[in-house]
Amino acid sequence: MALGEENIKLIFGLKLRQLRTSKKLSQSELSEKSGLSVSYLNEIEKGKKYPKTEKIATLAAALDVPYDRMVSIKLDKQLAPVGEILNSRLLEEIPLELFGIAKGKLIEMISNAPLKVTAFISTISQVANTYKLTQESFYFAMLRSYQEMNENYFEDLEKAAEKFRTEFGLPTTGVIPSETLRNILLDNFGYRVEENDMSDYPELTHIRSVYIEEAKKILVNARMAENQKAFLYAKEIGYQCLEINGERALMTPWPRATSFDHVLNNSRASYFAGALLISSGVLAEQLTDFFTNKKWNGNGLLEMLGAFNSSPEMFMIRLLNVIPKYFGLSGMFFMRYDHKNAENETTLKKQLHLSRSQNPENISLLREHCKTWSQDAIFPNIGTKPKAHCHRFTTESGESFSVMALSRPMKRNKNASLAVMVGFEESNGFQRKVGFAKDESIETTTMVQDERKAKSEAEFLQIQDGMRRLMENEKDAAVGQLTE
């Protein structure tokens, strides 16, 4: 077990506290027996100090335990999950300071928990290791929860974009050219902008932009599409307009998120850009007309997309901002799939589910069946321009989901395509407010797990049931197996 100095202090403090309480001694009583002050003992037990050799010997004598037992990092069954969690670095990856949680206090709570709880925590640690839970993935999971709790709509950012649009005389309808936004950055925010086609640097062709903070300069890949440039410049305006002076993305796509502020600031600036380029009120009016159609109208969706200087992905994300707010439809979700044409390989790249109560099994089924739909029906007929699609998915228990998709080839990679999807739970509200909800011509797929996944699920449930029974029995041997 490779424990760092800080964690060794925590472990020693926990062992001292455990030995003291097992002897039914208060800190004051141990202080009298050892000659060490109460405040010093308190610092040790909190993992803030590690005593010198002679003081460890004094404590061992006062507690009537061998010196080697005091200094050994081998843990008994109750503290084993603590050592496992510390060794897994799970607590280093989770930004506890964001929540005002002291690591030592959390470790103390875990060490005092009943055996059932420590077995559960041990399992969390194993899951984190298995699925390589990192600090970065935790930040993005936090962001998704933040978006879900706000129904992915942020009034302050909408108002900030509307105010900016008014102040600079930008239209609420139609296309806002990237050049207009570029000039605002140059003239009003003191930016320096340099566009380069990266032809001399083939290894950098995937980079869209680099921001040099010291010079307030942004390097832009000239090969980007017009709508991508517009979004990039609008996002930079967002950083300035929202006075985001803390951590931010210096490169797109960014190589790594370094803090939750980094992730949140990027999200806020991106939201502002979307709200600036696509007015929520104008989009809501267009959607009202679109939803009156009794039949699915893919051309209508494409016409809405064409009315703004927007990529299909940004447009679909704006639908996820606007529809819950203006139409009261809950349970929406967003997914993006990327496809390598030559390899016929499809990968889920992004997803967001706004329903916190959605059945996880349905989410899993939707992911897999939307992937199959895109691979079998969307990507083989990709064409050269954006296309609109619609599909209905039902479960064996009778739940239904409608999914709209926009697909297009990737401009800078002829071997790749993408499809972005927005889906709806077919609730009573959806049936009332969306005309094509009852369009029977929309192709429908009943979602069924394949046998391999069903077998895997059954095996998982067997393991889960076994763990439940073992923990109910609270046999020391069983808990020892769980925490080794």
Side-chain angles (χ1 to χ4, degrees), residues 35-249:
L36 303 176
S37 69
V38 172
S39 61
Y40 184 62
L41 292 173
N42 190 46
E43 292 284 285
I44 294 173
E45 290 189 3
K46 287 184 176 180
K48 294 181 179 180
K49 290 186 177 179
Y50 191 89
K52 293 181 180 179
T53 302
E54 61 272 17
K55 291 183 178 179
I56 295 176
T58 299
L59 286 169
L63 292 166
D64 193 25
V65 296
Y67 175 90
D68 288 346
R69 181 178 175 187
M70 292 289 295
V71 297
S72 172
I73 61 172
K74 184 177 180 181
L75 304 173
D76 63 18
K77 291 172 184 176
Q78 186 168 350
L79 289 182
V82 173
E84 186 174 325
I85 288 174
L86 292 174
N87 194 45
S88 73
R89 295 187 59 80
L90 175 62
L91 298 184
E92 276 70 27
E93 294 293 354
I94 297 175
L96 298 173
E97 68 280 356
L98 283 175
F99 308 102
I101 300 173
K103 181 179 175 182
K105 187 64 177 177
L106 180 60
I107 290 295
E108 181 185 336
M109 291 168 60
I110 294 172
S111 68
N112 291 332
L115 292 177
K116 287 182 182 180
V117 178
T118 52
F120 171 71
I121 292 168
S122 175
T123 303
I124 290 176
S125 176
Q126 293 172 21
V127 169
N129 284 333
T130 300
Y131 290 97
K132 295 181 174 58
L133 175 64
T134 64
Q135 193 173 61
E136 186 175 27
S137 62
F138 189 82
Y139 293 146
F140 283 106
M142 286 173 63
L143 177 64
R144 285 194 296 271
S145 293
Y146 179 70
Q147 292 168 324
E148 289 166 1
M149 288 187 291
N150 288 278
E151 286 292 327
N152 204 35
Y153 183 86
F154 297 91
E155 187 70 32
D156 62 324
L157 300 180
E158 297 283 350
K159 288 181 177 179
E162 186 61 38
K163 179 181 177 182
F164 184 88
R165 192 186 295 111
T166 301
E167 287 180 356
F168 284 85
L170 300 176
T172 55
T173 59
V175 169
I176 300 176
S178 66
E179 185 177 1
T180 299
L181 301 173
R182 180 177 183 270
N183 289 336
I184 291 175
L185 282 174
L186 293 170
D187 299 338
N188 297 90
F189 293 105
Y191 267 62
R192 296 166 59 196
V193 179
E194 179 183 324
E195 294 195 14
N196 190 311
D197 65 5
M198 304 294 183
S199 57
D200 294 333
Y201 310 97
E203 69 278 8
L204 299 179
T205 55
H206 69 288
I207 300 297
R208 294 186 178 185
S209 70
V210 177
Y211 178 67
I212 304 172
E213 195 167 11
E214 298 78 9
K216 210 171 185 179
K217 179 179 180 179
I218 185 166
L219 305 177
V220 178
N221 191 327
R223 295 186 180 186
M224 286 196 300
E226 162 64 14
N227 53 43
Q228 291 174 324
K229 289 181 184 179
F231 178 79
L232 177 68
Y233 294 139
K235 184 177 173 182
E236 284 301 323
I237 290 172
Y239 277 117
Q240 298 301 317
C241 187
L242 300 173
E243 298 181 347
I244 297 175
N245 300 314
E247 294 188 60
R248 55 156 292 170

